[in-house]
Each structure stands twice: as structure tokens, then as C-alpha cells.
Amino acid sequence: MIRRLICCFFLFQLLFCQAQEHSFSDVWRVGFTQEFQKFDQFSSIRIQGERNKNMLAVNIGLSPQKVTQNIFAPGFSIDYAKLWKIQHVFIGPVIVVSADTHVFGTRFTYLHASGGYRFVFGKQWQFFQETSFGPTTETFTYLNQKMQHFTWNYHVNLGLQYALR
């Protein structure tokens, strides 16, 4: 029992010390992204929260290619990035989880997970470029049989965002 208490003390001591030493500054950003990937492209609205260069964002958008074909094709993604400052730019790794779907006679659903990098330039107004690569699952039903395919997918995002503070 005493060993468990000592282990818990050492594990949580670091958390308590960090909370006393650092003052966190939160920044909220809104923006627009254009994503290109193997299967489709998406235009999205972006909301991002930032704390000490740790960024968590949500993108909600539509496929303009499918809209021109009168098909509703929404996309949703969540991404996390940790950026470091190098001169006047920021660069670092990014992890993205996303999903999109459309109905063209049958419902197609795509689930994506990818990792890559993000390059950011600017302060109040920020331009960013992000490239990631990872697995994708395509699911659809054909003749009452559920089909599922695994493949590799790339994602290239270009975006512009503004800091609300």
C-alpha cells in the first residue's frame, strides 16, 4: 500500500509542479481550409484552440466536386498538432482523424487516420500548409452485402485562419 502511495505521489507531483510554474494563454482561431486527397477534395470551416503551441482543431465541410453533381457529401475531421518556432515560421507534426460520406445510389463511408507535418506562417492571420499520409477504410453496401476496403490515402491541406484571442 505504501509503495502505491509513493508511486502516485511521484506520478502526480509533476502535474502539480507544472500547474504552479506555467501560465497558459489560450488562443481561438477560425478559418477556412481546402483539402485535397486521393478520393475527393473538401472545402471546410475550421475552429482551432491553441495552448502553448499545442493545437486542436475541428473542420466541417463539403465536397465541391460532389456538390456540382448534386450529391451531398459532408466531411468532418479533428486534428492535433504540436508546433515549434523556427525563425518566423512554425513547423511540427500533426495527427488527423476524419470521416466523410456520400450517397450515390448506395452510401459510401470513408474513415481516415493520418500523420504528417504542418507548416504555419503568420501571427494574427495565419496561412498553413499540411501534408499527411495514412490508412483509409471505405465501406458501402452492394446487393445486400457490406463491402469494406482498406487503402492508403494522402491529405494536402491549405488554409487561412484568424486569431480571435
Side-chain angles (χ1 to χ4, degrees):
M1 181 68 177
I2 292 177
R3 288 182 189 165
R4 288 183 187 164
L5 289 175
I6 292 171
C7 288
C8 289
F9 174 75
F10 283 117
L11 288 174
F12 292 112
Q13 182 180 7
L14 181 62
L15 294 175
F16 293 130
C17 292
Q18 285 181 349
Q20 292 173 0
E21 292 175 7
H22 300 294
S23 62
F24 296 109
S25 61
D26 294 343
V27 177
W28 289 94
R29 298 183 186 274
V30 294
F32 175 80
T33 64
Q34 182 65 41
E35 177 183 10
F36 304 95
Q37 55 175 287
K38 182 178 175 181
F39 298 111
D40 211 346
Q41 58 182 330
F42 288 91
S43 299
S44 303
I45 293 176
R46 176 182 182 81
I47 299 171
Q48 175 179 296
E50 179 180 329
R51 177 179 278 186
N52 292 341
K53 302 304 171 203
N54 290 307
M55 301 173 187
L56 184 65
V58 174
N59 298 309
I60 301 172
L62 289 173
S63 169
Q65 180 182 12
K66 298 281 195 277
V67 169
T68 60
Q69 299 169 351
N70 295 324
I71 299 171
F72 179 65
F76 175 80
S77 69
I78 298 173
D79 61 65
Y80 170 78
K82 170 72 173 175
L83 301 181
W84 293 280
K85 187 173 185 176
I86 301 173
Q87 306 238 338
H88 300 290
V89 299
F90 298 92
I91 191 165
V94 64
I95 298 171
V96 182
V97 177
S98 61
D100 56 271
T101 185
H102 70 274
V103 177
F104 188 70
T106 186
R107 176 172 297 278
F108 292 86
T109 304
Y110 300 92
L111 301 175
H112 314 278
S114 59
Y117 75 91
R118 181 179 295 160
F119 174 81
V120 179
F121 178 78
K123 246 185 168 177
Q124 189 77 17
W125 284 94
Q126 286 187 338
F127 170 78
F128 68 91
Q129 187 275 328
E130 175 182 304
T131 301
S132 60
F133 181 77
T136 293
T137 302
E138 176 186 23
T139 307
F140 61 94
T141 303
Y142 181 71
L143 297 175
N144 293 326
Q145 292 181 351
K146 186 175 182 178
M147 305 290 194
Q148 189 172 27
H149 300 280
F150 294 97
T151 187
W152 293 98
N153 197 3
Y154 62 87
H155 304 267
V156 177
N157 283 348
L158 300 173
L160 182 65
Q161 56 191 12
Y162 177 75
L164 299 174
R165 293 275 169 191

